[in-house]
């Protein structure tokens, strides 16, 4: 079973009632490691804890735990069974393979539960997050950016949620790269359940991560902690689309606290899911028009970068009518009646041309009309 003694000690301590993150770091900072805490209590008993601001009951529980501790008996049956699977792992703050980037954040998680390729956490990463109800353009942007960055060797971190998160994970996978999914539940309980297959696919080459103990259900209060871990594992956070109440803005706030870069993609001034991004840009987030905006800000080496471009320009496979109709479409939402008026064609003809353009992947139907699709192209 691949687990360190320090990790078993941390698991045992973390299971104590009332023993939270702040108390863990108070003890860790005072003694220098959890192993030294155990050694000090074994040698001095309760006296080792006298100078710490701990309640008498908790102090007694810590002493009793350490005095009766054994590595072989320190694991619960549930964790021991879970760790029998080769791809499952638990690491702690004192393990040598704990991600260096997480050590830079305030009060890093004492424990990380991992499934998959845990070495993926050592790769430079960008977090891509956003609304659970994105527009078609938002989904395409998140997918394309993740695919191109992952194909160039950058890991993509996100939260396995519906919408933008799922698009980012799938883009990274389709780019043949690595993606990391951070969960707010225990790793034995994938949430949302409809992403069970996606989670399995991610763990095949990348990694699933949670700081929550096994068996933890999807509790609303745990999602901000998940967001803090998403930003902590990345060099920067890209918000693809978000409304003003989106949890993605919480992730961006954590990124600022953790001295990470924050990026945002602008959108239509009429779109509710662009308002969160626009607010971030007003507050100083880097406006993203091309992947070059990301890689240069992060100081990554780039062998080739091309700007966002319109795949339809000069497309010889389009009919002459479709090309003329496309010339009348801008990158905002184009109303059907306005297109009929601008093109001078009959509604039936415009409808057929729109079908041609949509089948070619050049436009997409959105609430209120049709919109041109941009593709971000870049290679690290």
């Amino acid at each position: 079973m691949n687990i360190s003694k320090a990790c078993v000690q941390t698991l045992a301590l973390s299971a104590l009632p009332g023993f939270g993150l702040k108390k863990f770091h108070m003890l860790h900072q005072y003694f220098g490691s959890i192993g030294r805490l155990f050694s000090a209590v074994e040698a001095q008993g309760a006296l080792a804890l006298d100078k710490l601001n701990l309640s008498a009951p908790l102090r007694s529980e810590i002493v009793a735990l350490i005095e009766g501790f054994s590595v072989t008996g320190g694991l619960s049956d549930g964790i021991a069974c879970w760790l029998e699977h080769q791809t499952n792992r638990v690491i702690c703050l004192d393990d040598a393979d704990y991600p260096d980037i997480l050590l830079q954040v305030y009060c890093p998680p004492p424990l990380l539960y991992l499934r998959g390729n845990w070495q993926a956490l050592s790769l430079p990463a960008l977090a891509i997050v956003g609304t659970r109800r994105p527009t078609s353009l938002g989904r395409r942007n998140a997918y394309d950016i993740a695919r191109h960055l992952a194909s160039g060797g950058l890991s993509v971190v996100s939260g396995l949620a519906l919408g933008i998160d799922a698009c980012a994970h799938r883009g990274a996978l389709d780019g043949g790269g690595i993606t990391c999914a951070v969960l707010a539940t225990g790793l034995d309980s994938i949430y949302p359940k409809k992403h069970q297959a996606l989670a399995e696919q991610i763990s095949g080459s990348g990694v699933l991560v949670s700081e929550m103990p096994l068996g933890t259900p999807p509790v609303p209060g745990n999602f901000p902690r998940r967001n803090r871990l998403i930003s902590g594992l990345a060099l920067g956070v890209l918000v693809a689309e978000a409304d003003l109440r989106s949890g993605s803005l919480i992730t961006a706030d954590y990124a600022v606290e953790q001295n990470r870069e924050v990026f945002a993609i602008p959108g239509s001034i009429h779109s509710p899911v662009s308002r969160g991004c626009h607010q971030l840009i007003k507050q100083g987030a880097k406006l993203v028009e091309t992947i070059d905006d990301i890689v240069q800000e992060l100081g990554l080496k780039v062998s080739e970068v091309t700007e966002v471009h319109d795949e339809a320009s000069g497309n010889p496979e389009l009919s002459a009518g479709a090309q003329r109709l496309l010339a009348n479409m801008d990158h905002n939402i184009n109303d059907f009646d306005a297109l009929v008026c601008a093109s001078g064609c009959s509604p039936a003809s415009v409808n057929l041309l729109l079908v041609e353009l949509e089948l070619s992947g050049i436009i997409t139907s959105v609430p209120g009309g049709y919109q041109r699709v941009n593709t971000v192209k870049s290679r690290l």
Side-chain angles (χ1 to χ4, degrees):
M1 193 177 298
N2 190 12
I3 187 169
S4 67
K5 179 180 179 181
C7 197
V8 179
Q9 292 170 331
T10 303
L11 281 165
L13 273 176
S14 298
L16 291 176
F19 190 84
L21 187 63
K22 290 185 178 179
K23 287 186 174 63
F24 171 87
H25 281 284
M26 178 178 67
L27 289 169
H28 193 275
Q29 183 175 5
Y30 184 80
F31 289 98
S33 72
I34 294 302
R36 289 174 184 170
L37 161 65
F38 273 63
S39 297
V41 171
E42 287 168 356
Q44 304 173 41
L47 289 174
L49 304 174
D50 276 356
K51 294 182 180 180
L52 295 169
N53 184 24
L54 298 171
S55 66
L58 180 57
R59 192 161 54 241
S60 298
E61 288 176 356
I62 293 173
V63 172
L65 168 69
I66 293 176
E67 289 179 344
F69 176 80
S70 71
V71 175
T72 54
L75 287 178
S76 69
D77 291 341
I79 292 179
C81 181
W82 187 76
L83 288 173
E84 288 178 1
H85 293 269
Q86 187 176 359
T87 60
N88 294 344
R89 206 164 168 225
V90 185
I91 60 175
C92 72
L93 195 62
D94 293 328
D95 286 336
D97 44 15
Y98 190 91
D100 288 339
I101 195 167
L102 267 188
L103 296 175
Q104 302 168 11
V105 309
Y106 175 71
C107 289
L111 292 161
L112 292 177
Y113 296 80
L114 311 173
R115 181 190 297 172
N117 176 19
W118 58 269
Q119 292 177 318
L121 296 178
S122 64
L123 293 173
L126 177 76
I128 301 178
V129 296
T131 178
R132 287 172 170 79
R133 296 180 177 86
T135 65
S136 58
L137 187 59
R139 289 193 295 269
R140 182 71 175 264
N141 283 338
Y143 176 90
D144 283 345
I145 291 174
R147 181 166 61 90
H148 289 295
L149 290 176
S151 68
L154 197 68
S155 174
V156 172
V157 180
S158 199
L160 200 67
L162 301 172
I164 292 295
D165 288 22
C167 292
H169 289 308
R170 291 190 174 105
L173 291 168
D174 289 349
I178 298 295
T179 183
C180 166
V182 183
L183 279 67
T185 61
L187 289 191
D188 57 342
S189 177
I190 299 299
Y191 179 83
K193 288 185 178 180
K194 69 183 299 181
H195 282 169
Q196 182 73 48
L198 177 59
E200 291 300 322
Q201 192 177 3
I202 290 169
S203 66
S205 57
V207 63
L208 306 179
V209 183
S210 180
E211 62 177 301
M212 301 302 167
L214 299 179
T216 303
V219 178
N222 288 340
F223 285 88
R225 290 182 64 178
R226 185 275 309 265
N227 295 347
R228 174 176 174 268
L229 189 50
I230 288 173
S231 58
L233 284 168
L235 298 171
V237 172
L238 169 66
V239 182
E241 275 188 338
D243 58 41
L244 292 173
R245 295 184 179 181
S246 174
S248 303
L249 301 191
I250 296 175
T251 310
D253 287 342
Y254 279 130
V256 172
E257 290 178 10
Q258 296 163 348
N259 199 29
R260 308 297 197 243
E261 300 293 341
V262 178
F263 305 90
I265 300 176
S268 169
I269 61 173
H270 304 293
S271 173
V273 292
S274 293
R275 289 173 188 161
C277 293
H278 294 168
Q279 177 174 288
L280 290 174
I281 292 168
K282 290 176 184 177
Q283 294 171 347
K286 177 79 173 180
L287 185 152
V288 173
E289 293 179 310
T290 72
I291 290 183
D292 195 18
D293 295 325
I294 298 171
V295 295
Q296 288 188 2
E297 192 73 18
L298 295 179
L300 301 172
K301 292 182 179 179
V302 182
S303 59
E304 179 186 346
V305 175
T306 56
E307 296 187 354
V308 178
H309 76 286
D310 186 351
E311 286 189 330
S313 57
N315 190 333
E317 296 180 1
L318 291 178
S319 67
Q323 299 233 24
R324 284 195 300 271
L325 180 62
L326 189 62
N328 288 298
M329 299 181 71
D330 57 30
H331 289 81
N332 293 311
I333 297 174
N334 297 265
D335 176 73
F336 179 81
D337 291 337
L339 288 173
V340 171
C341 182
S343 67
C345 298
S346 68
S349 297
V350 170
N351 202 31
L352 289 173
L353 295 173
L354 287 170
V355 170
E356 179 185 348
L357 290 170
E358 193 165 9
L359 289 175
S360 299
I362 295 166
I363 66 168
T364 184
S365 59
V366 296
Y370 295 84
Q371 194 168 30
R372 293 175 71 155
V373 173
N374 283 335
T375 301
V376 181
K377 294 216 172 204
S378 176
R379 182 163 54 84
L380 293 181

